[in-house]
Amino acid sequence: MTRSSKPASAAIAIQDVEDLPAVQVLRQFRQIFNAVKSHFRQVENKAGLGGAQLWALGLIGQGAGIGVTELARRMDVHQSTASNLVRVLIDKGLVATVKDGADRRSVQLSVLPTGARALRASPGPFEGVLPDALKTLDPAMLKRLHGDLAVLIQVLQAEGTDGQIPLADI
């Protein structure tokens, strides 16, 4: 093998690797993750809040009187995760709680004026760009994507509870 033929074969090998479906799909995941990360960085810079905090604040703003259990359900997160998000929003003076009259353990959440200003200053969508984009896909496509990703999750042996961690917290 001559010295000049070595780089040419290496270039072919690199080209072959780039054409592999696994490499192409990995590149797509990188594009998705970078789009999500870029959005959350914008949110943090403009509103001073993490993505999950902004999403929670937005949901509280939409549903005056929403409770922590309903917030957790709408965000598809564990109740303790929602409670932690609410605690941060309260500590930042963005959200207030009011005890429900009948059940003193239950609280209703409302956005304070500083929270409303943070929402107005934030780039949307509040739930993040990926959930927003997924909502626009055809139901048949979502079904295929769900099945294909379920197989990938199984191969990865990923924890089932990891699916309830907000993307902004990953």
Side-chain angles (χ1 to χ4, degrees), residues 75-137:
M75 293 182 75
D76 189 33
V77 297
H78 194 273
Q79 187 162 349
S80 64
T81 302
S83 293
N84 290 337
L85 288 168
V86 167
R87 191 172 307 116
V88 169
L89 295 173
I90 290 168
D91 290 347
K92 289 185 175 200
L94 304 173
V95 169
T97 60
V98 176
K99 296 270 185 193
D100 187 13
D103 183 357
R104 301 301 293 167
R105 295 170 297 162
S106 175
V107 296
Q108 295 178 326
L109 306 167
S110 62
V111 174
L112 294 171
T114 51
R117 281 193 295 279
L119 286 171
R120 284 192 301 275
S122 300
F126 297 141
E127 71 270 16
V129 291
L130 185 56
D132 192 58
L134 290 171
K135 288 179 193 172
T136 69
L137 298 180

Side-chain angles (χ1 to χ4, degrees), residues 28-103:
Q28 289 175 312
F29 273 110
R30 288 177 182 155
Q31 289 174 299
I32 293 166
F33 293 148
N34 282 320
V36 169
K37 196 164 90 174
S38 174
H39 173 73
F40 287 137
R41 220 180 353 250
Q42 280 183 317
V43 165
E44 184 95 37
N45 289 339
K46 291 197 179 211
L49 296 172
Q53 294 167 359
L54 180 66
W55 186 13
L57 185 61
L59 288 172
I60 294 166
Q62 289 173 0
I66 188 174
V68 176
T69 302
E70 180 63 15
L71 180 65
R73 189 190 68 72
R74 289 191 193 175
M75 293 182 75
D76 189 33
V77 297
H78 194 273
Q79 187 162 349
S80 64
T81 302
S83 293
N84 290 337
L85 288 168
V86 167
R87 191 172 307 116
V88 169
L89 295 173
I90 290 168
D91 290 347
K92 289 185 175 200
L94 304 173
V95 169
T97 60
V98 176
K99 296 270 185 193
D100 187 13
D103 183 357

Side-chain angles (χ1 to χ4, degrees), residues 147-159:
D148 292 343
L149 289 174
V151 172
L152 179 58
I153 289 166
Q154 189 175 17
V155 169
L156 288 170
Q157 298 178 348
E159 293 291 325

Side-chain angles (χ1 to χ4, degrees), residues 2-26:
T2 66
R3 194 170 179 90
S4 62
S5 66
K6 196 171 186 180
S9 64
I12 291 169
I14 289 171
Q15 180 63 40
D16 291 343
V17 168
E18 289 177 354
D19 289 338
L20 291 174
V23 173
Q24 293 170 346
V25 171
L26 178 61

